[in-house]
């Protein structure tokens, strides 16, 4: 099992603060597909405006969407907030 924690607006979009992905191994791409399929508001889940961390390490510092998560890992999904005048 891989735990996926959502923060900020991602909680509202997905409809939960955390989900369990019942696979022993999965890439970040597969996890994002799982989130989109299970999101209440999938249309506004913008995968280009989120940070993804695996056990506290930002996935872009690893292998990006090819990063592999395994049982016991914790994935954190953090929306990037944009704004301005």
């Amino acid at each position: 099992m891989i735990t996926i924690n959502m923060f900020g607006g991602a909680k509202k979009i997905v409809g939960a603060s955390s989900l369990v992905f019942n696979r022993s191994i999965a890439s970040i791409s597969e996890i994002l597909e799982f989130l989109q399929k299970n999101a209440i508001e999938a249309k506004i889940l913008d995968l280009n405006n989120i940070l993804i961390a695996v056990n506290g390490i930002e996935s872009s510092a690893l292998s990006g969407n090819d990063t592999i998560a395994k049982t016991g890992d914790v994935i954190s999904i953090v929306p990037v907030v944009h704004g301005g005048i």
Side-chain angles (χ1 to χ4, degrees):
M1 290 191 310
I2 299 167
T3 302
I4 307 166
N5 293 326
M6 269 66 64
F7 295 92
K11 285 193 281 190
K12 180 180 179 185
I13 292 167
V14 174
S17 60
S18 115
L19 294 172
V20 173
F21 193 30
N22 286 314
R23 300 231 342 239
S24 59
I25 190 168
S27 69
I28 295 299
S29 292
E30 293 170 318
I31 292 168
L32 293 174
E33 285 177 35
F34 169 76
L35 284 179
Q36 281 197 299
K37 288 179 184 174
N38 289 283
I40 291 172
E41 299 183 47
K43 292 178 184 173
I44 62 171
L45 182 60
D46 186 352
L47 302 181
N48 295 313
N49 285 317
I50 58 175
L51 295 176
I52 304 156
V54 180
N55 299 323
I57 301 170
E58 219 263 297
S59 63
S60 66
L62 300 167
S63 296
N65 285 352
D66 294 327
T67 301
I68 300 296
K70 53 192 174 313
T71 294
D73 285 347
V74 176
I75 308 300
S76 301
I77 306 294
V78 182
V80 177
V81 179
H82 295 280
I85 300 175

